[in-house]
Amino acid sequence: MVSHVRTVAFQGIEAVPVDVQVMVAPGKVGMQIVGLPDKAVAESRERVQAALHASGLSMPAKRVTVNLAPADLPKEGSHYDLPIALGLMAALGAIPGDSLAGYVVLGELSLDGTIAPVAGALPAAIGANATGHGLICPHECGSEAAWAGADIDIVAPRSLIAVANHFRGTQVLSRPEPAIRELARNLPDLADIKGQESAKRALEVAAAGGHNLLRLCTLVPSLDVDQQSDKLQASEGPKSLRCGQVLAPTVLNRIARLFRSGTLTRMQLLSSATASKTSAQVAPK
C-alpha cells in the first residue's frame, strides 16, 4: 500500500509542493528515503522510528520506502519528519489515509514523539491556503500560520498521539489564533540625539511614510548611524505595519530564523556591516 502526504520544499521564501509517498512492502527490513534528501532529511529515518516507538506504534517487519517527489528537487530541512511519520502511520492503518488528503504537513519530531517547531510555517500556510488545503504544523508554529488567512484549516498538535486522536475524533484540536511578536519596552528614543537635524529628518520622513531606508557608512565621526537607526523605532510611536505589510517581513524573518514565533507588526531594521565600503552597499553602474 502506498500513502500520500503533501508537504513543501522551500526555494527562498517560496513553498514548492512535495508529495511524500510511503510504501510498506515485503522485503529486507529497513527504511529507505529517496528523492534527493539532504543529511537532515536522511536522518529523519531514525527520528521517525524512535517517535513511532515512543507513541506505541512499532515498525513493521517489512521494507519501508519513502519517496519525496519530484525526485529531482533537492529536499532540505527537518520539517519532513512529520509528513513521513504520518504517511507511515496511514500506510499501517493507524490513522485514516483519506484524512490527510486535504492538508499540507510539516514538522520536526523528537525522539519521545513530540513535535518540535520548524521555520517556514507561515509561507507553507500561505501556499496551502492558495491551493485550498489546510495545514498540519507544530503547536508552537500554529499562531504564526494562522496569519495566512481566517479560512484556512490549521491543526497544530503537540505530539503524534495528538494527531492520531484528532483524526479519530477522540480529541479534536481547536484552531490556533494569530499571535503578535512583542517588542522590547525599553526602546531608545530618537529625541536623545542632539544635533544631526538632516539625518533625523530623513529617519522621521521614512518612519512616517512607511518608506524604505538605505543606511550608508559615513566618514563623519560625529554621526553615529548605528545609534540613530536603533532609535528610529521610537519615532514610529504606536504606528503598526499595514495589513498588507505584515506577512512579507514575517516570512523573511522566519525563513532566516531571526525569531522563534509570533508575527511582526512594526518596522524591522536590518543594519549592514559597518566595515563595508560604499561600493559593497551600492551596485556599481
Side-chain angles (χ1 to χ4, degrees):
M1 175 183 178
V2 178
S3 62
H4 296 262
V5 179
R6 288 185 177 89
T7 187
V8 293
F10 295 107
Q11 292 185 334
I13 62 173
E14 180 184 1
V16 181
V18 172
D19 182 25
V20 179
Q21 307 165 2
V22 182
M23 182 180 69
V24 179
K28 184 179 178 181
V29 178
M31 185 175 179
Q32 184 71 24
I33 301 177
V34 297
L36 284 184
D38 71 346
K39 185 64 174 177
V41 181
E43 290 176 347
S44 68
R45 175 177 59 250
E46 307 301 329
R47 293 190 294 271
V48 168
Q49 294 181 16
L52 291 177
H53 178 74
S55 302
L57 184 64
S58 60
M59 291 289 296
K62 296 182 179 181
R63 179 178 178 85
V64 178
T65 304
V66 179
N67 179 40
L68 308 177
D72 59 346
L73 177 68
K75 318 300 188 306
E76 302 176 353
S78 59
H79 66 275
Y80 293 95
D81 292 2
L82 186 57
I84 292 174
L86 294 184
L88 183 54
M89 293 172 67
L92 297 176
I95 58 175
D98 56 351
S99 62
L100 301 174
Y103 291 92
V104 172
V105 184
L106 77 164
E108 178 183 334
L109 289 176
S110 300
L111 300 184
D112 58 356
T114 57
I115 303 174
V118 293
L122 180 55
I126 295 174
N129 192 31
T131 58
H133 294 92
L135 180 74
I136 301 177
C137 65
H139 178 77
E140 289 81 356
C141 300
S143 58
E144 171 194 340
W147 281 93
D151 299 330
I152 181 174
D153 184 13
I154 299 177
V155 179
R158 296 182 183 272
S159 64
L160 284 177
I161 296 178
V163 179
N165 291 338
H166 175 80
F167 287 112
R168 290 172 182 169
T170 58
Q171 187 181 4
V172 179
L173 301 174
S174 60
R175 185 184 188 276
E177 296 296 329
I180 297 176
R181 177 174 177 251
E182 297 293 339
L183 295 178
R185 297 184 179 274
N186 56 343
L187 291 175
D189 195 341
L190 192 63
D192 295 339
I193 299 178
K194 306 303 180 183
Q196 309 299 340
E197 299 301 331
S198 298
K200 288 196 293 184
R201 176 62 176 169
L203 294 174
E204 292 167 356
V205 170
H211 305 300
N212 296 321
L213 183 68
L214 177 62
R215 195 194 75 172
L216 298 178
C217 293
T218 177
L219 297 179
V220 181
S222 60
L223 182 58
D224 192 341
V225 182
D226 287 325
Q227 186 183 29
Q228 295 203 32
S229 60
D230 289 341
K231 295 176 183 293
L232 174 59
Q233 295 194 45
S235 67
E236 293 185 86
K239 173 178 170 293
S240 299
L241 291 174
R242 301 175 182 89
C243 182
Q245 298 174 317
V246 169
L247 297 184
T250 302
V251 168
L252 291 171
N253 279 268
R254 288 297 288 123
I255 288 292
R257 299 175 184 269
L258 296 183
F259 63 90
R260 299 291 297 179
S261 62
T263 301
L264 300 176
T265 57
R266 292 171 65 101
M267 179 188 300
Q268 298 297 296
L269 302 176
L270 298 180
S271 300
S272 57
T274 56
S276 59
K277 298 180 179 179
T278 303
S279 58
Q281 301 186 47
V282 180
K285 295 181 181 180

